[in-house]
Amino acid sequence: MKGLLYIISGPSGAGKSTIIKACLKKIFGFTFSVSYTTRSKRPGEVDGEDYFFIDLDTFMKMKENGEFLEWANVHGNYYATSKKFVEEKLQESYGLVLDVDVQGALNIKKSYQDAVYIFILPPSSEDLKKRLTKRGTESEEALERRLKNSQWEMSMMNEFNYVLVNCDIEESTNQLLSILVSEQLKYVRYKEEKKPLYFFKKRKV
């Protein structure tokens, strides 16, 4: 049985990466697809763990060689997902989690309609602005561009299966965890193979 693809998206600053990392620490059988980007590394980010940070020339060569499942120019930087990595992990029966921008999610949907699409929202536009400002990694121009783009991004939430409003990290993590597990337990998957793809990690005492 092939693995199941989870596409997690939403506006920049909604908390996607934080929720995904917290969720995947609690469960086995799932893996995270690290995207490629041409943007600069932010404080605390690790190359190969948060993103593969590459220059524009390298990105364009990989794009021309057909190495990307999807790619998009978002807020002035390029982002992409490795086609080979996704195909290999799905063949290995992993639950594969992708953190992609809305453009990328919609592009993936053209090829993977059976994937699970999850949209993460901030509590409000005002809260989103506060989060982006507090992050302190954007110029005033870049910040305004992200806020403007977020209006279009949020208008696309009807293309997703689930909408999660991130008011509290712990609660949002539990909600995402519930989605990941419940999709694995659907009857249509159970009748194909009795063995579950996930195991909860034991808490440290």
Side-chain angles (χ1 to χ4, degrees):
M1 182 176 67
K2 290 187 65 175
L4 186 57
L5 188 61
Y6 298 84
I7 310 299
I8 301 177
S9 191
S12 178
K16 301 184 297 296
S17 298
T18 302
I19 296 169
I20 292 170
K21 286 180 180 179
C23 188
L24 294 184
K25 286 180 180 178
K26 297 184 176 183
I27 198 168
F28 286 116
F30 289 79
T31 191
F32 179 67
S33 176
V34 181
S35 298
Y36 289 82
T37 184
T38 61
R39 76 159 171 78
S40 300
K41 190 190 304 182
R42 294 172 184 153
E45 289 184 326
V46 179
D47 185 44
E49 185 175 311
D50 295 285
Y51 286 96
F52 291 111
F53 296 94
I54 58 177
D55 58 42
L56 183 58
D57 287 342
T58 302
F59 188 98
M60 289 304 175
K61 288 178 182 177
M62 294 178 71
K63 173 180 168 294
E64 291 169 5
N65 292 335
E67 296 182 41
F68 295 143
L69 173 65
E70 59 80 27
W71 66 273
N73 186 326
V74 185
H75 314 307
N77 295 298
Y78 286 92
Y79 295 80
T81 302
S82 168
K83 181 189 299 183
K84 180 180 179 181
F85 182 87
V86 169
E87 292 175 347
E88 286 180 350
K89 291 303 177 183
L90 290 180
Q91 288 298 328
E92 293 172 9
S93 295
Y94 273 94
L96 182 59
V97 178
L98 273 65
D99 175 358
V100 297
D101 62 276
V102 176
Q103 288 185 61
L106 297 180
N107 287 334
I108 293 174
K109 197 173 184 180
K110 297 174 184 177
S111 301
Y112 289 88
Q113 294 185 357
D114 292 336
V116 181
Y117 292 85
I118 305 164
F119 195 91
I120 297 181
L121 275 172
S124 67
S125 296
E126 291 75 16
D127 189 81
L128 180 63
K129 185 174 182 178
K130 288 180 182 177
R131 293 182 185 185
L132 290 173
T133 302
K134 184 178 180 180
R135 196 160 67 182
T137 57
E138 316 293 339
S139 66
E140 188 64 30
E141 181 182 355
L143 177 61
E144 290 303 318
R145 182 167 59 243
R146 286 179 182 273
L147 291 173
K148 182 178 180 181
N149 290 344
S150 70
Q151 298 305 309
W152 173 81
E153 291 169 331
M154 288 188 281
S155 73
M156 293 292 107
M157 72 175 75
N158 63 308
E159 296 289 336
F160 292 73
N161 304 115
Y162 297 90
V163 175
L164 191 162
V165 181
N166 181 23
C167 297
D168 177 80
I169 291 297
E170 184 175 358
E171 179 63 24
S172 296
T173 298
N174 289 333
Q175 289 174 353
L176 179 58
L177 187 60
S178 296
I179 294 171
L180 298 183
V181 173
S182 63
E183 285 292 334
Q184 298 285 349
L185 297 178
K186 283 188 173 179
Y187 176 71
V188 66
R189 296 181 63 74
Y190 179 80
K191 70 179 181 179
E192 292 174 354
E193 183 171 319
K194 302 296 190 297
K195 183 176 63 178
L197 300 184
Y198 69 90
F199 297 92
F200 284 104
K201 295 182 179 179
K202 293 182 179 179
R203 292 184 178 180
K204 294 182 180 180
V205 179

